[in-house]
C-alpha cells in the first residue's frame, strides 16, 4: 500500500498562473481532505470530499480555489491566478470513514509545496 | 498504534467559568499536537498547535499545554462565552505522518 500520494512535491508558479495539485488516496479510502499549512502555522482545513461529491468546503477561499474528486483518478486542488499569498504547503489526507473524530485515522500525504514568484 | 482519548465527552458550564479540556495519547513519539474547534456542519478551525519540543501555546483566552512524557495535553479556556460552544478536537500527528483525532469534547456554555 503506497499510502497517500501527492504530486507534484514542489511546484513553482508565477503570479497569475494556475496551480494543480493532485492527491491519490490510500487504497480503500473514499474520503479525501485538503489542508493548507502556512509557514510556522498548523494545518488549516480547506475541503472534504467523497467520490464525486464535495461534503464540506467551508475552509476554501471563495475565489480562485476549487477541488474535485472524480469517480476515476485522483483528487485535484486547483488554484487559479495564483498570488504570492498562496505560497504554502498543501496537504491531502484520506480516511476509510467520514469525519475527523473517534477511531477514524486520517493518513496524510507528504504534501505539495507551492511557491509563487 | 496511537490512540487519542478526550475527556469529558461533553461539558456544560455557565458563562464566565474557566474550564479545562483533556486529551491523552498512548504513544509519546509525536510530531505535534493540535487543538481544533468544530462547529455543527462545518469543517475544522485550528486553535493551537504545539510542536513536540514545546510545552504550551497561548492564543487569547485559550492556553494549551503538552506533557509528552505523560501523554497528555490540556486546553484551558478562560472566562467562557456562549460563542465558545462547539466540539473541541485534539489531534496528534505522529512521525510517520498519520494524524489521529480524539472523539472530541462537546462544550456548551450557557448564558
Amino acid at each position: 500500500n503506497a499510502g497517500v500520494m501527492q504530486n507534484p512535491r514542489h511546484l513553482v508558479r508565477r503570479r497569475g498562473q494556475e496551480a494543480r495539485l493532485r492527491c491519490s488516496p490510500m487504497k480503500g479510502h473514499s474520503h479525501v481532505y485538503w489542508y493548507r499549512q502556512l509557514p510556522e502555522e498548523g494545518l488549516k482545513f480547506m475541503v472534504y470530499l467523497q467520490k464525486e461529491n464535495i461534503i464540506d468546503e467551508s475552509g476554501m477561499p471563495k475565489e480562485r480555489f476549487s477541488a474535485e474528486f472524480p469517480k476515476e483518478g485522483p483528487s485535484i486542488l486547483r488554484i487559479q491566478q495564483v498570488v504570492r499569498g498562496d505560497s504554502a504547503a498543501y496537504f491531502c489526507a484520506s480516511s476509510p470513514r467520514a469525519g475527523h473524530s473517534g477511531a477514524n485515522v486520517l493518513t496524510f500525504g507528504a504534501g505539495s509545496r507551492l511557491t509563487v514568484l | 498504534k496511537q490512540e487519542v482519548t478526550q475527556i469529558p465527552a461533553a461539558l456544560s458550564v455557565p458563562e464566565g467559568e474557566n474550564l479545562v479540556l483533556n486529551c491523552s495519547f498512548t504513544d509519546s513519539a509525536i510530531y505535534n499536537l493540535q487543538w481544533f474547534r468544530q462547529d455543527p456542519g462545518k469543517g475544522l478551525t485550528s486553535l493551537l498547535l504545539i510542536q513536540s519540543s514545546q510545552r504550551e501555546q497561548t492564543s487569547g483566552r485559550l492556553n494549551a499545554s503538552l506533557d509528552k512524557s505523560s501523554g497528555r495535553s490540556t486546553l484551558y479556556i478562560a472566562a467562557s462565552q456562549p460563542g465558545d460552544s462547539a466540539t473541541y478536537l485534539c489531534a496528534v500527528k505522529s512521525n510517520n505522518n498519520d494524524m489521529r483525532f480524539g472523539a472530541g469534547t462537546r462544550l456548551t456554555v450557557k448564558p
Side-chain angles (χ1 to χ4, degrees):
Chain A
N1 196 334
V4 177
M5 303 302 294
Q6 288 189 247
N7 66 82
R9 292 292 306 277
H10 300 276
L11 182 63
V12 179
R13 285 287 180 265
R14 297 191 180 279
R15 280 179 297 170
Q17 292 184 316
E18 179 179 287
R20 280 185 181 235
L21 309 178
R22 287 176 289 279
C23 171
S24 296
M26 280 186 72
K27 188 177 179 181
H29 288 192
S30 58
H31 303 266
V32 166
Y33 313 77
W34 284 94
Y35 300 80
R36 177 164 61 177
Q37 185 172 38
L38 295 168
E40 306 305 321
E41 295 186 18
L43 292 175
K44 294 193 187 304
F45 169 80
M46 298 181 75
V47 62
Y48 161 40
L49 311 103
Q50 277 185 276
K51 285 285 187 182
E52 300 185 277
N53 286 309
I54 296 175
I55 307 301
D56 179 1
E57 57 181 345
S58 58
M60 289 279 270
K62 293 288 185 276
E63 297 176 344
R64 302 187 298 107
F65 285 71
S66 62
E68 62 177 11
F69 189 15
K71 188 176 179 182
E72 301 290 338
S75 175
I76 307 283
L77 179 67
R78 183 182 176 206
I79 311 172
Q80 295 177 288
Q81 299 175 314
V82 296
V83 301
R84 288 223 173 97
D86 297 333
S87 296
Y90 292 83
F91 289 90
C92 168
S94 72
S95 71
R97 289 185 288 275
H100 283 90
S101 65
N104 199 23
V105 178
L106 273 65
T107 300
F108 277 72
S112 292
R113 278 153 183 81
L114 172 65
T115 301
V116 180
L117 302 177
Chain B
K1 174 182 159 186
Q2 181 73 274
E3 292 186 7
V4 181
T5 305
Q6 289 189 244
I7 295 174
L11 181 64
S12 181
V13 299
E15 182 177 3
E17 249 190 41
N18 303 325
L19 58 100
V20 175
L21 308 181
N22 296 292
C23 172
S24 61
F25 48 94
T26 54
D27 185 351
S28 61
I30 69 170
Y31 185 74
N32 62 40
L33 183 145
Q34 198 163 356
W35 282 93
F36 293 88
R37 168 186 172 139
Q38 187 169 35
D39 293 281
K42 303 275 189 181
L44 302 179
T45 300
S46 177
L47 298 174
L48 290 163
L49 169 72
I50 311 178
Q51 301 290 355
S52 63
S53 58
Q54 297 174 324
R55 295 191 69 87
E56 68 175 343
Q57 286 287 329
T58 298
S59 175
R61 293 182 294 108
L62 305 179
N63 175 278
S65 68
L66 174 64
D67 184 344
K68 235 176 36 163
S69 60
S70 67
R72 292 182 186 174
S73 175
T74 61
L75 179 66
Y76 175 82
I77 303 177
S80 58
Q81 303 170 357
D84 294 332
S85 298
T87 297
Y88 290 81
L89 295 167
C90 162
V92 174
K93 191 169 187 182
S94 302
N95 292 327
N96 66 356
N97 249 1
D98 276 352
M99 191 169 196
R100 186 179 284 270
F101 287 76
T105 294
R106 192 171 62 257
L107 173 66
T108 304
V109 181
K110 295 175 288 189

